[in-house]
Amino acid sequence: MVGSNWKGWQPAAAGLMATLLGVGLGRFAYTPLLPAMVAEGWLSATQAALLGAFNLAGYLLGALAAAGLGRRFGAAAVLRAALGLIVLSLGACGWNGGMVWLGCWRFLAGVTGAVLMILPAPLLMARVPADSRPMLAGLVFSGMGFGIILAGAVLPLLAAGGVALAWALLGLLGAGLAALSWRQWQPAPLATPHAVAGATTGGRGLAPVLLFALAYGADGMGFVPHTLFLSDFVARGLGWGLKAGGFYWTILGLGAVLGPLLAARVARRTGFPLALTGALLVKAAAVGLPLLTTSPAALALSAFLVGALTPGSVALASGVAGLLAGPAGHTALWGRMTLLFALFQAAGGYGMTALFATTGAYLPLFALGAAVLLLAGGLALAGLILLQRKECA
């Protein structure tokens, strides 16, 4: 158990603010503001969907470039630049400058969001002892969950006062978060190219790295049914109404806040690889639960577990990357794993949307998500077995 005198609190808080700002606000704030932007005539429904695609494209570019930028300019300098740019992007969306204007800023928010997802954890985890890293990772990635809660509960209320005001307040909140975390982003010694190359597999072989990377990538597709369709399934598919759909989204957000911390406690006892393997298998069962029953209790459990194990799996996967690649190679491997996750997520989002448009049925989406996560768990289990064999050899 981490005591109140734990020295990792300040860097963990800075990392939490980075993921809250980069992903929680930079990405999830757009979803509840979208209906208001359409209603006020800022965008058509088609343009609103296109802005979401711009943000996703920016995230893919950021995931591809983050590790290289960190090596070239230093992770701390890149993080500070990303913090400033994402605050600027939030504030700039407060002016209705048209599709091109908004699209450029949403694209930039995607790029900087990926940077703030990839660079903080490796930089901060290298500063604390090994036994403190699970807790630090859990705190860092819980910022995603706080963003979901904030986006779902507060932004619709702000939007009632006008979209421009909501974006302006988001920009001010982002500036405050960036300022509070600013001093924690201190330059670290740059690893030499030789050290980075030698740390790619951490001496554990390439096969476990590939298996865990693919497992984490598949996770990006497997949780799509809940993040895109769960609220709509409850509201329209089951006929329970919009308030019920929002209630289950709130439960998912609550899980997302608590999940990384619960995952950290498990990882401290079992290690990152075993914890990630278990998380993926439990997540597969949670996504598939609506196939067995749609009782309110079962749906609440499904929403909570998927919410918890989405950022929870992110924290565990980052820990696995650090274990497999070592401190010098952590950022590079974590960047590649995040890129795989983003690619699988994009494929899952577009593919499942097309499937739903064709069939109009929700349950096949949950079945597909559960199957992909079961495959992810199997890949992680194979990687875990290989790691254990190497340790026993």
Side-chain angles (χ1 to χ4, degrees):
M1 188 72 179
V2 178
S4 59
N5 62 343
W6 181 50
K7 295 182 179 180
W9 282 117
Q10 286 187 326
L16 186 154
M17 292 176 198
T19 58
L20 170 58
L21 180 53
V23 181
L25 299 183
R27 177 179 176 186
F28 289 114
Y30 178 67
T31 302
L33 288 179
L34 187 153
M37 294 176 74
V38 174
E40 292 188 21
W42 286 39
L43 301 165
S44 67
T46 301
Q47 289 175 326
L50 190 57
L51 278 191
F54 285 168
N55 185 254
L56 178 60
Y59 192 87
L60 290 173
L61 178 61
L64 186 64
L69 290 172
R71 286 195 301 271
R72 182 175 179 84
F73 301 106
V78 175
L79 279 168
R80 286 182 170 181
L83 287 169
L85 288 172
I86 201 164
V87 168
L88 183 61
S89 75
L90 291 172
C93 287
W95 178 59
N96 183 11
M99 183 63 189
V100 174
W101 171 266
L102 294 172
C104 288
W105 292 112
R106 292 306 297 155
F107 179 84
L108 179 63
V111 174
T112 52
V115 171
L116 292 170
M117 183 73 168
I118 291 170
L119 294 185
L123 179 64
L124 297 174
M125 288 170 72
R127 296 179 181 174
V128 300
D131 62 349
S132 295
R133 290 171 188 167
M135 180 58 67
L136 186 141
L139 288 167
V140 167
F141 292 108
S142 67
M144 300 167 59
F146 282 108
I148 292 174
I149 291 287
L150 181 64
V154 178
L155 285 179
L157 300 177
L158 294 180
V163 172
L165 175 63
W167 281 113
L169 291 176
L170 273 177
L172 288 175
L173 175 59
L177 292 170
L180 286 172
S181 66
W182 196 263
R183 293 182 63 182
Q184 287 297 320
W185 309 118
Q186 299 296 330
L190 294 177
T192 64
H194 175 73
V196 172
T200 303
T201 63
R204 291 176 170 85
L206 183 60
V209 172
L210 292 175
L211 287 167
F212 277 108
L214 287 172
Y216 181 60
D219 180 35
M221 181 181 292
F223 83 108
V224 164
H226 273 60
T227 55
L228 285 187
F229 298 101
L230 178 64
S231 292
D232 193 50
F233 172 58
V234 170
R236 296 193 304 120
L238 297 178
W240 294 357
L242 293 176
K243 288 185 178 179
F247 172 74
Y248 284 97
W249 180 255
T250 302
I251 292 177
L252 187 145
L254 178 61
V257 170
L258 299 176
L261 302 178
L262 296 174
R265 290 180 64 89
V266 174
R268 281 174 61 87
R269 297 186 177 185
T270 68
F272 284 113
L274 179 57
L276 178 60
T277 302
L280 292 172
L281 293 174
V282 172
K283 196 172 179 181
V287 170
L289 188 57
L291 300 172
L292 302 178
T293 174
T294 56
S295 70
L299 288 179
L301 177 62
S302 177
F304 180 83
L305 287 175
V306 174
L309 294 173
T310 295
S313 296
V314 174
L316 295 173
S318 179
V320 169
L323 177 70
L324 295 178
H330 189 175
T331 300
L333 179 55
W334 179 227
R336 294 182 186 118
M337 290 172 68
T338 301
L339 178 61
L340 268 179
F341 184 95
L343 289 170
F344 273 85
Q345 181 179 243
Y350 288 116
M352 291 185 190
T353 299
L355 177 62
F356 180 74
T358 301
T359 64
Y362 296 91
L363 292 184
L365 305 176
F366 294 112
L368 179 57
V372 172
L373 282 165
L374 190 60
L375 173 62
L379 290 169
L381 181 59
L384 177 64
I385 292 172
L386 285 178
L387 282 179
Q388 291 176 338
R389 286 180 177 175
K390 289 181 181 295
E391 290 174 358
C392 293

